[in-house]
Amino acid sequence: MWPGRGSNSASRTVAAAPSGGAAQEVIIVPRNFKLLEELDHAEKGHDPTISLGLQNQDDIFLVAWNGSIFGPPGTTFEGRLFELKVECGDRYPELPPAVRFVSRVNLPCVDPTTGVVQPHKLSILSNWDRAFTMERVLNELRREMMNQANRRLPQPPEGSRF
């Protein structure tokens, strides 16, 4: 088995309680459990402006995901569906997922030649916390589209891809 993949044993850490009290045990949810929880949440479709799902239902390691973002109204992104690829590596959720647009998009946090979302240019990725989710990343990208500085950026022709 590959390191970090398929492991369902929970990590345990002991944290000191505030004010010098007794130490508390914190249980870290294993990678696969967290990803299964994210998949279950995504399949229920709580947010109609984004979608997320596995690229291959047979992916037992839950690595490769498809995402989409509906362009926000009142922006140059409006009426478009932006496709993305999301990869959760062996160290997810300790490390953020790798995110890449398949649909061409003009955003400051996206490499204009590859479509890769540059972690140092998107706050959620550069300040990653294991409690964050892929859904939250997609929502942050949608917020970037609505950002005052980005909402009128000229966009590549609809249907163009990286």
Side-chain angles (χ1 to χ4, degrees):
M1 185 141 311
W2 298 342
R5 291 196 176 164
S7 171
N8 286 330
S9 60
S11 303
R12 297 176 188 270
T13 57
V14 177
S19 308
Q24 294 177 317
E25 184 175 39
V26 177
I27 297 176
I28 306 295
V29 177
R31 176 187 183 278
N32 282 5
F33 286 2
K34 177 161 175 51
L35 287 168
L36 286 169
E37 183 179 293
E38 289 193 49
L39 178 61
D40 183 57
H41 186 78
E43 287 176 342
K44 291 178 180 168
H46 296 287
D47 185 345
T49 64
I50 61 166
S51 68
L52 186 65
L54 283 172
Q55 278 183 29
N56 179 352
Q57 295 301 317
D58 296 330
D59 179 2
I60 62 171
F61 298 116
L62 309 171
V63 174
W65 299 69
N66 290 323
S68 61
I69 301 172
F70 294 101
T75 69
T76 55
F77 307 94
E78 183 174 9
R80 293 183 176 199
L81 177 66
F82 295 91
E83 296 175 51
L84 303 96
K85 299 289 184 189
V86 181
E87 184 176 312
C88 296
D90 293 346
R91 299 209 36 224
Y92 182 86
E94 295 304 323
L95 297 177
V99 182
R100 180 181 64 81
F101 275 85
V102 175
S103 305
R104 279 208 176 272
V105 66
N106 180 19
L107 273 175
C109 62
V110 177
D111 183 290
T113 58
T114 64
V116 171
V117 177
Q118 300 170 321
H120 64 281
K121 293 186 176 181
L122 187 66
S123 179
I124 190 169
L125 297 178
S126 62
N127 298 304
W128 184 255
D129 183 287
R130 77 174 335 273
F132 295 163
T133 63
M134 290 178 281
E135 181 179 306
R136 188 164 172 186
V137 172
L138 295 183
N139 274 313
E140 287 299 316
L141 286 165
R142 192 166 191 275
R143 272 192 267 288
E144 281 295 307
M145 294 174 177
M146 294 185 289
N147 180 313
Q148 192 65 36
N150 301 331
R151 63 186 305 117
R152 297 281 171 228
L153 288 174
Q155 293 303 309
E158 190 165 356
S160 57
R161 300 168 79 78
F162 284 103

